[in-house]
């Protein structure tokens, strides 16, 4: 009796007929022709006895074992050796950076403090300089006033002296003129009357006339 | 016309053993651990007093990303103790994802169920353990009987909370990562096959059309780089959320 054998061979689906009595040795296929090795090579009669191959969905035990083993080794290495080593050096660098920042902050703070001290000292010096300038100016003003007053006094004294001198010169000139006028008048009177007037009287008359003329 | 022959799903996922019991998925997992370990080892040995550069810069960026973008928003400062675990999780998943776009390898290890399933179960065990450690038996009460819910609603809420917290979480974590990476892998295979078929097997008229799936292939490859990162990030942040939620029930 014949039976139909359908196989999924290397060239796609294949169908062939085989007699029940047909032995594997009479088959045109051998287990080597199978895509996947037959489960029982001794009982191989044709491609129908080939292995089904691994399931594309079900996990294979060896893959499971290798995946688990390698990952567990890696996780342990990472936990106890690789990560702590890297983390330590990362932390050390972060710490150095943080220390650098802290130092920079401290330096900035110190610099600000020094600037504040400098500005305060500068303000003090400016205030002191201003006070000194004001004091010097006041002293100068005072000295100038004193010197001005002294000069005014000197001028006033000189003016008074000059006025006295002028008055004396005026008086002398007046007396000289008066005596000259009195002499001229006495001579004139003497020529007119033939008699020399009294010198004192003439001098008094001339003085009176000159005083009247001055007052007019 | 031409007929596009798409290989069976098993053919694009089939990884024969390189040596007995070691297939390409196992090799990718080993390579991921070796690469990540070497990166963090070099970074740890580099001069830490100067500004980080090169490998050290990369390692420190990953650490700061995990701490700043995953732990602080989800667990707060108390969660920083989980950095090594979450760092391992993120690095391992990313390095298992990214071979999907590396020529010759071109297979994300997470496009197979085993690794996502193991990592999800690990996260599941950890967050339940953390919950019992921080809240004692009250963890079950707080998880299954959320405060502020009218007593009558517990009939509805408690089974939902049980299913979502204790059953769906590991399942969704697994399937999200596995399905996204598998879908991306299948997409790349699809456009690669289409390009090859059009350029090599198509008629002279169709050959120039092969440039279209080729551009799509290039775009999807770039997109898969993003997906590799995004899936690692999503898995890690969800793990952090679950652990943080178990440690601090008020969250």
């Amino acid at each position: 009796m014949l039976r139909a054998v359908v196989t999924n061979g290397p060239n796609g689906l294949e169908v062939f007929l085989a007699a029940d009595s047909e032995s594997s040795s009479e088959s045109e296929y051998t287990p080597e022709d199978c895509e996947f090795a037959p489960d029982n090579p001794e009982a191989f009669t044709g491609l129908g006895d080939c292995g089904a191959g691994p399931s594309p969905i079900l996990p294979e035990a060896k893959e499971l074992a290798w995946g688990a083993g390698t990952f567990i080794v890696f996780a342990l290495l990472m936990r106890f050796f690789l990560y702590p080593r890297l983390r330590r050096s990362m932390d050390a660098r972060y710490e150095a950076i943080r220390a650098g920042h802290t130092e920079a902050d401290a330096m900035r703070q110190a610099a600000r403090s020094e600037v504040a001290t400098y500005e305060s000292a500068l303000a003090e010096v400016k205030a002191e300089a201003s006070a000194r300038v004001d004091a010097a100016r006041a002293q100068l003003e005072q000295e100038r006033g004193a010197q001005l007053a002294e000069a005014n006094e000197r001028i006033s004294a000189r003016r008074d002296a000059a006025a006295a001198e002028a008055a004396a010169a005026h008086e002398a000139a007046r007396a000289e003129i008066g005596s000259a006028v009195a002499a001229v008048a006495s001579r004139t009177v003497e020529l007119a009357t033939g008699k020399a007037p009294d010198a004192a009287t003439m001098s008094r008359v001339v003085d009176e006339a000159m005083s009247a003329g001055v007052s007019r | 016309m031409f007929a596009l022959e798409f290989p069976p799903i098993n053919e694009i996922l089939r990884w024969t053993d390189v040596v007995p019991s070691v297939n390409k998925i196992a090799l990718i997992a080993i390579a991921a651990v070796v690469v990540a370990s070497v990166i963090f080892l070099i970074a740890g040995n580099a001069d830490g007093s100067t500004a980080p550069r090169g490998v050290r810069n990369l390692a420190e960026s990953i650490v700061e990303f995990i701490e700043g973008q995953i732990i602080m928003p989800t667990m707060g400062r108390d969660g920083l103790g989980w950095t090594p675990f979450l760092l391992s999780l993120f690095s391992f998943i990313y390095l298992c994802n990214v071979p999907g776009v590396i020529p010759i390898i071109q297979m994300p290890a997470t496009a197979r169920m085993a690794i996502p399933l193991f990592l999800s179960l690990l996260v599941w065990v950890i967050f339940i353990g953390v919950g019992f450690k921080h809240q004692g038996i009250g963890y079950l009460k707080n998880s299954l009987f959320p405060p502020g819910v009218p007593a009558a609603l517990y009939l509805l809420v408690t089974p939902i909370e049980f299913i979502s917290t204790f059953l769906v979480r590991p399942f969704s974590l697994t399937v999200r990562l596995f399905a996204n990476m598998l879908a991306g892998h299948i997409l790349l295979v699809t456009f690669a096959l289409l390009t090859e078929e059009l350029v090599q097997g198509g008629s002279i008229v169709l050959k120039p059309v092969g440039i279209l799936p080729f551009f799509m292939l290039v775009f999807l490859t770039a997109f898969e780089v993003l997906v590799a990162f995004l899936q690692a990030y999503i898995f890690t942040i969800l793990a952090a959320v679950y652990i943080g939620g178990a440690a601090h029930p008020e969250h």
Side-chain angles (χ1 to χ4, degrees), chain B residues 127 140 142-146 149 152-170:
Chain B
F127 84 73
L140 281 180
N142 290 330
S143 299
L144 300 180
F145 302 94
V149 177
L153 277 181
Y154 281 134
L155 281 174
L156 189 65
V157 169
T158 301
I160 292 173
E161 286 295 324
F162 176 76
I163 290 169
S164 69
T165 304
F166 296 105
L167 300 181
V168 170
R169 276 182 182 184

Short mmCIF file of all heavy atoms in Angstrom, two decimals, chain B residues 127 140 142-146 149 152-170:
data_model
loop_
_atom_site.label_atom_id
_atom_site.label_comp_id
_atom_site.label_asym_id
_atom_site.label_seq_id
_atom_site.Cartn_x
_atom_site.Cartn_y
_atom_site.Cartn_z
N PHE B 127 11.73 42.48 41.56
CA PHE B 127 10.77 43.48 42.08
C PHE B 127 9.83 42.88 43.11
O PHE B 127 9.42 43.57 44.06
CB PHE B 127 10.07 44.26 40.95
CG PHE B 127 8.87 43.64 40.31
CD1 PHE B 127 7.65 43.56 40.96
CD2 PHE B 127 8.93 43.17 39.00
CE1 PHE B 127 6.54 43.02 40.34
CE2 PHE B 127 7.83 42.63 38.38
CZ PHE B 127 6.63 42.55 39.06
N LEU B 140 1.74 42.36 49.32
CA LEU B 140 0.62 41.69 48.63
C LEU B 140 -0.66 42.50 48.80
O LEU B 140 -1.41 42.70 47.85
CB LEU B 140 0.43 40.28 49.17
CG LEU B 140 1.39 39.22 48.65
CD1 LEU B 140 1.07 37.88 49.27
CD2 LEU B 140 1.31 39.12 47.13
N ASN B 142 -0.92 45.75 49.51
CA ASN B 142 -0.87 47.01 48.77
C ASN B 142 -1.00 46.79 47.26
O ASN B 142 -1.52 47.65 46.54
CB ASN B 142 0.45 47.73 49.05
CG ASN B 142 0.50 48.25 50.46
OD1 ASN B 142 -0.53 48.57 51.05
ND2 ASN B 142 1.69 48.31 51.03
N SER B 143 -0.50 45.64 46.79
CA SER B 143 -0.54 45.38 45.35
C SER B 143 -1.94 44.95 44.91
O SER B 143 -2.43 45.37 43.87
CB SER B 143 0.44 44.27 44.97
OG SER B 143 1.74 44.67 45.30
N LEU B 144 -2.54 44.09 45.73
CA LEU B 144 -3.82 43.50 45.31
C LEU B 144 -5.03 44.33 45.76
O LEU B 144 -6.09 44.22 45.14
CB LEU B 144 -3.93 42.07 45.85
CG LEU B 144 -2.83 41.13 45.38
CD1 LEU B 144 -3.02 39.74 45.97
CD2 LEU B 144 -2.81 41.03 43.86
N PHE B 145 -4.85 45.08 46.84
CA PHE B 145 -5.97 45.90 47.34
C PHE B 145 -5.52 47.35 47.40
O PHE B 145 -5.19 47.86 48.47
CB PHE B 145 -6.40 45.41 48.73
CG PHE B 145 -6.82 43.97 48.74
CD1 PHE B 145 -5.91 42.96 49.07
CD2 PHE B 145 -8.12 43.61 48.40
CE1 PHE B 145 -6.29 41.63 49.06
CE2 PHE B 145 -8.50 42.27 48.40
CZ PHE B 145 -7.59 41.28 48.71
N PRO B 146 -5.50 48.02 46.26
CA PRO B 146 -5.02 49.40 46.25
C PRO B 146 -5.88 50.27 47.15
O PRO B 146 -7.12 50.15 47.11
CB PRO B 146 -5.16 49.83 44.79
CG PRO B 146 -5.47 48.62 44.01
CD PRO B 146 -5.97 47.58 44.95
N VAL B 149 -9.90 52.50 46.96
CA VAL B 149 -10.90 51.88 46.06
C VAL B 149 -12.07 51.39 46.92
O VAL B 149 -11.85 50.77 47.96
CB VAL B 149 -10.25 50.69 45.31
CG1 VAL B 149 -11.29 49.99 44.44
CG2 VAL B 149 -9.09 51.17 44.46
N ALA B 152 -16.40 47.25 47.39
CA ALA B 152 -17.13 46.40 46.43
C ALA B 152 -16.33 46.21 45.14
O ALA B 152 -16.45 45.17 44.47
CB ALA B 152 -18.48 47.02 46.12
N LEU B 153 -15.53 47.20 44.83
CA LEU B 153 -14.78 47.12 43.56
C LEU B 153 -13.59 46.18 43.64
O LEU B 153 -13.00 45.83 42.62
CB LEU B 153 -14.29 48.52 43.15
CG LEU B 153 -15.30 49.39 42.41
CD1 LEU B 153 -14.67 50.73 42.05
CD2 LEU B 153 -15.81 48.70 41.15
N TYR B 154 -13.22 45.78 44.89
CA TYR B 154 -12.08 44.88 45.02
C TYR B 154 -12.33 43.55 44.30
O TYR B 154 -11.40 42.89 43.86
CB TYR B 154 -11.76 44.62 46.49
CG TYR B 154 -10.99 45.76 47.13
CD1 TYR B 154 -11.33 46.26 48.36
CD2 TYR B 154 -9.89 46.32 46.48
CE1 TYR B 154 -10.64 47.31 48.94
CE2 TYR B 154 -9.19 47.36 47.04
CZ TYR B 154 -9.56 47.86 48.27
OH TYR B 154 -8.87 48.89 48.82
N LEU B 155 -13.60 43.18 44.21
CA LEU B 155 -13.95 41.95 43.48
C LEU B 155 -13.44 42.01 42.04
O LEU B 155 -13.03 41.01 41.46
CB LEU B 155 -15.47 41.76 43.47
CG LEU B 155 -16.08 41.20 44.76
CD1 LEU B 155 -17.59 41.21 44.65
CD2 LEU B 155 -15.56 39.79 45.00
N LEU B 156 -13.48 43.23 41.50
CA LEU B 156 -13.04 43.42 40.12
C LEU B 156 -11.56 43.79 40.05
O LEU B 156 -10.80 43.29 39.22
CB LEU B 156 -13.89 44.54 39.50
CG LEU B 156 -13.75 44.78 38.01
CD1 LEU B 156 -14.26 43.56 37.25
CD2 LEU B 156 -14.54 46.01 37.60
N VAL B 157 -11.15 44.69 40.98
CA VAL B 157 -9.80 45.27 40.91
C VAL B 157 -8.73 44.26 41.30
O VAL B 157 -7.69 44.18 40.64
CB VAL B 157 -9.73 46.53 41.81
CG1 VAL B 157 -8.29 46.99 41.97
CG2 VAL B 157 -10.58 47.64 41.23
N THR B 158 -9.00 43.47 42.34
CA THR B 158 -7.96 42.56 42.85
C THR B 158 -7.49 41.54 41.80
O THR B 158 -6.29 41.41 41.59
CB THR B 158 -8.45 41.87 44.13
OG1 THR B 158 -8.75 42.90 45.08
CG2 THR B 158 -7.39 40.95 44.70
N PRO B 159 -8.42 40.86 41.12
CA PRO B 159 -7.93 39.94 40.07
C PRO B 159 -7.17 40.66 38.97
O PRO B 159 -6.16 40.16 38.47
CB PRO B 159 -9.21 39.31 39.51
CG PRO B 159 -10.24 39.52 40.55
CD PRO B 159 -9.88 40.78 41.27
N ILE B 160 -7.65 41.87 38.62
CA ILE B 160 -6.96 42.64 37.56
C ILE B 160 -5.54 42.99 38.01
O ILE B 160 -4.56 42.84 37.27
CB ILE B 160 -7.76 43.92 37.20
CG1 ILE B 160 -9.07 43.54 36.51
CG2 ILE B 160 -6.94 44.84 36.32
CD1 ILE B 160 -10.00 44.70 36.26
N GLU B 161 -5.45 43.47 39.26
CA GLU B 161 -4.13 43.84 39.78
C GLU B 161 -3.21 42.63 39.86
O GLU B 161 -2.02 42.72 39.56
CB GLU B 161 -4.27 44.47 41.17
CG GLU B 161 -4.81 45.88 41.17
CD GLU B 161 -3.89 46.87 40.49
OE1 GLU B 161 -2.66 46.73 40.62
OE2 GLU B 161 -4.39 47.79 39.82
N PHE B 162 -3.77 41.50 40.27
CA PHE B 162 -2.96 40.28 40.38
C PHE B 162 -2.41 39.88 39.01
O PHE B 162 -1.22 39.63 38.84
CB PHE B 162 -3.79 39.13 40.97
CG PHE B 162 -3.03 37.83 41.00
CD1 PHE B 162 -2.05 37.60 41.96
CD2 PHE B 162 -3.27 36.85 40.05
CE1 PHE B 162 -1.34 36.42 41.98
CE2 PHE B 162 -2.57 35.66 40.06
CZ PHE B 162 -1.59 35.44 41.02
N ILE B 163 -3.32 39.90 38.03
CA ILE B 163 -2.89 39.49 36.68
C ILE B 163 -1.89 40.49 36.11
O ILE B 163 -0.84 40.10 35.58
CB ILE B 163 -4.13 39.36 35.75
CG1 ILE B 163 -4.96 38.15 36.19
CG2 ILE B 163 -3.71 39.22 34.30
CD1 ILE B 163 -6.32 38.06 35.56
N SER B 164 -2.20 41.79 36.26
CA SER B 164 -1.31 42.78 35.63
C SER B 164 0.04 42.86 36.33
O SER B 164 1.06 43.00 35.67
CB SER B 164 -1.98 44.17 35.61
OG SER B 164 -2.06 44.66 36.92
N THR B 165 0.04 42.75 37.67
CA THR B 165 1.30 42.91 38.38
C THR B 165 2.15 41.64 38.36
O THR B 165 3.34 41.71 38.10
CB THR B 165 1.03 43.31 39.85
OG1 THR B 165 0.23 44.49 39.85
CG2 THR B 165 2.34 43.58 40.59
N PHE B 166 1.54 40.53 38.60
CA PHE B 166 2.34 39.31 38.81
C PHE B 166 2.42 38.40 37.58
O PHE B 166 3.28 37.55 37.52
CB PHE B 166 1.79 38.53 40.00
CG PHE B 166 1.92 39.30 41.28
CD1 PHE B 166 0.81 39.89 41.86
CD2 PHE B 166 3.16 39.48 41.87
CE1 PHE B 166 0.94 40.63 43.03
CE2 PHE B 166 3.28 40.20 43.04
CZ PHE B 166 2.19 40.79 43.63
N LEU B 167 1.50 38.58 36.64
CA LEU B 167 1.55 37.69 35.47
C LEU B 167 1.91 38.44 34.18
O LEU B 167 2.76 37.99 33.41
CB LEU B 167 0.20 36.99 35.28
CG LEU B 167 -0.26 36.11 36.46
CD1 LEU B 167 -1.60 35.45 36.14
CD2 LEU B 167 0.78 35.04 36.78
N VAL B 168 1.26 39.58 33.98
CA VAL B 168 1.43 40.26 32.69
C VAL B 168 2.78 40.98 32.59
O VAL B 168 3.37 41.03 31.52
CB VAL B 168 0.26 41.25 32.46
CG1 VAL B 168 0.52 42.12 31.25
CG2 VAL B 168 -1.03 40.46 32.26
N ARG B 169 3.26 41.48 33.71
CA ARG B 169 4.50 42.26 33.66
C ARG B 169 5.67 41.48 33.04
O ARG B 169 6.28 41.97 32.08
CB ARG B 169 4.88 42.76 35.05
CG ARG B 169 4.16 44.05 35.41
CD ARG B 169 4.59 44.56 36.77
NE ARG B 169 3.86 45.77 37.12
CZ ARG B 169 4.09 46.46 38.22
NH1 ARG B 169 5.00 46.06 39.09
NH2 ARG B 169 3.40 47.56 38.47
N PRO B 170 5.99 40.31 33.55
CA PRO B 170 7.11 39.60 32.91
C PRO B 170 6.80 39.18 31.48
O PRO B 170 7.67 39.22 30.61
CB PRO B 170 7.32 38.37 33.81
CG PRO B 170 6.06 38.22 34.56
CD PRO B 170 5.49 39.58 34.71
#
